[in-house]
Amino acid sequence: MYAKRWMAATLAGAMALTLTACGGNADSTSTAESGNLGDDVKKISVILKTSSAEYWQYIQAGAKAYDEEHDDVEVSIKGPTSETAFEEQMAMVETDISTADFDAYVIAPLQPDTVKTMIAGETRPVVALDSNIPDAPEVKTFVGTGNEAAAKQGMEAAVEAAKAAGWTEIKAIEICGVQGEPTNEARKAGFMAGIEENGGDFLEEETQYANATADLAVNCMEAIMQTHPEGIAIICANNDDMAIAAARTAASNPAYENTIFLGFDGVKSACESILNGELDMAAAQDPYNMAYQAVDAAVRLIDGETLPEFIDSGSAVVTKDNAQERLNTLNGYLS
């Protein structure tokens, strides 16, 4: 229900506001047929952090949905093969910025400082997606999740679940993504605030970095179990893939039987894992809505509108109580 309300609000807002790589695996597609469009078509480049992960498939679906619903908009979507393929994304940004084909850009930066340098002096509107590009005057608005607030909300729910599971010492260790990446750091700050403001302890010095991949998260979880054979109340992760991998790795360890595993994103695999009893919960973004709003923001900027610095695409916490409903919504996005 909440996901449908997010989308309904987005559509209503969009209507109201409208009326008032270069790697071989990159998804470089235009979802509109130029032959059916007039000269006044608004051409928008959307460059993702990757085109391979489930979360980014919802991002693509949201951007394509906007394209399909607006005859005067043509969206080109591409992304590197992974969230550590920095040079691939840089090449995509360089190529698209250097062409006269686009009227605006939506960029989800892997390395914000590098992208800031690459877009310096660009006069066409730039929208930051998912992660901001700080101190770049070319970026007219940032559309994304309030990552710190969403992580805090998720951790608060995890603390309550840990207490209900019988933990008296509420401690958390995070399995992080890419060290120093702004989104990663914002979520870390939110996790920390969520537990420490509720009487628990965030073991920051024991943070594990897994580069946002499930394979490395397995290694991280194994290291945590060696260091803490007694178990830990909460394991939180910077994305769902890492959280699921950690939960599966610890599944056969009795000391971790009542550990609360908290993910971030709320993607399909997380909902299924929650329903299967592996993952306990996830702080959930709305990537479909995020991309839809980002493309809409680019269109409105092309039309000369002034937008707020930050547009929050919404968040929630997925638990066993609402995982099936969210799963149905996500399946609908990709159908």
Side-chain angles (χ1 to χ4, degrees):
M1 181 68 72
Y2 55 87
K4 293 179 181 177
R5 286 199 297 269
W6 287 344
M7 193 60 207
T10 303
L11 292 172
M15 291 176 64
L17 288 165
T18 300
L19 293 173
T20 45
C22 300
N25 293 328
D27 177 15
S28 182
T29 62
S30 169
T31 59
E33 295 182 6
S34 299
N36 296 330
L37 299 169
D39 293 337
D40 58 348
V41 60
K42 300 177 179 69
K43 297 183 179 181
I44 300 169
S45 164
V46 176
I47 301 175
L48 311 180
K49 291 184 179 179
T50 182
S51 58
S52 61
E54 179 188 335
Y55 171 83
W56 293 97
Q57 292 173 13
Y58 300 126
I59 290 278
Q60 292 181 66
K64 289 178 180 179
Y66 191 95
D67 183 310
E68 291 167 359
E69 293 170 14
H70 296 81
D71 291 338
D72 61 341
V73 174
E74 181 179 357
V75 180
S76 172
I77 306 171
K78 56 181 69 67
T81 52
S82 74
E83 291 193 39
T84 55
F86 306 121
E87 292 185 2
E88 278 187 54
Q89 191 189 61
M90 286 175 4
M92 291 172 181
V93 173
E94 182 179 18
T95 297
D96 283 11
I97 288 289
S98 65
T99 181
D101 291 345
F102 296 109
D103 302 299
Y105 301 89
V106 175
I107 303 174
L110 286 173
Q111 295 178 308
D113 288 344
T114 301
V115 174
K116 174 186 173 182
T117 300
M118 297 180 75
I119 64 174
E122 178 56 55
T123 58
R124 291 165 291 185
V126 178
V127 175
L129 170 68
D130 186 69
S131 294
N132 200 6
I133 307 171
D135 303 320
E138 296 80 9
V139 176
K140 303 307 179 184
T141 189
F142 164 41
V143 182
T145 304
N147 283 289
E148 185 170 344
K152 182 180 179 182
Q153 181 184 17
M155 181 58 79
E156 288 171 344
V159 169
E160 292 304 311
K163 291 177 180 177
W167 291 93
T168 54
E169 284 189 289
I170 310 298
K171 298 180 180 180
I173 297 176
E174 182 183 7
I175 299 176
C176 280
V178 179
Q179 189 168 9
E181 195 274 324
T183 298
N184 184 82
E185 296 305 311
R187 293 176 187 178
K188 181 179 179 181
F191 286 142
M192 185 182 302
I195 190 169
E196 293 186 345
E197 291 178 14
N198 289 278
D201 187 14
F202 186 86
L203 304 183
E204 183 177 11
E205 69 281 1
E206 297 187 43
T207 298
Q208 301 280 328
Y209 288 93
N211 287 342
T213 65
D215 288 346
L216 289 179
V218 170
N219 298 336
C220 291
M221 191 64 226
E222 289 174 344
I224 291 170
M225 290 190 293
Q226 288 179 359
T227 305
H228 293 275
E230 76 284 3
I232 286 288
I234 300 168
I235 299 294
C236 55
N238 191 55
N239 67 26
D240 291 330
D241 288 345
M242 293 189 294
I244 294 168
R248 289 174 178 170
T249 302
S252 61
N253 188 330
Y256 286 79
E257 181 178 1
N258 294 320
T259 294
I260 303 303
F261 288 88
L262 167 66
F264 197 111
D265 284 334
V267 295
K268 180 180 174 180
S269 57
C271 295
E272 293 170 341
S273 184
I274 290 170
L275 292 171
N276 291 337
E278 296 174 323
L279 194 62
D280 292 283
M281 58 185 61
Q285 304 191 78
D286 189 359
Y288 182 102
N289 183 38
M290 185 190 300
Y292 192 100
Q293 287 198 51
V295 177
D296 180 64
V299 170
R300 288 153 55 193
L301 288 167
I302 293 169
D303 289 339
E305 292 190 39
T306 300
L307 302 181
E309 290 184 2
F310 175 57
I311 299 173
D312 193 336
S313 54
S315 63
V317 179
V318 181
T319 66
K320 200 156 192 174
D321 292 336
N322 58 12
Q324 185 62 57
E325 182 179 8
R326 180 171 173 86
L327 180 59
N328 295 341
T329 300
L330 294 175
N331 284 332
Y333 288 159
L334 299 181
S335 62

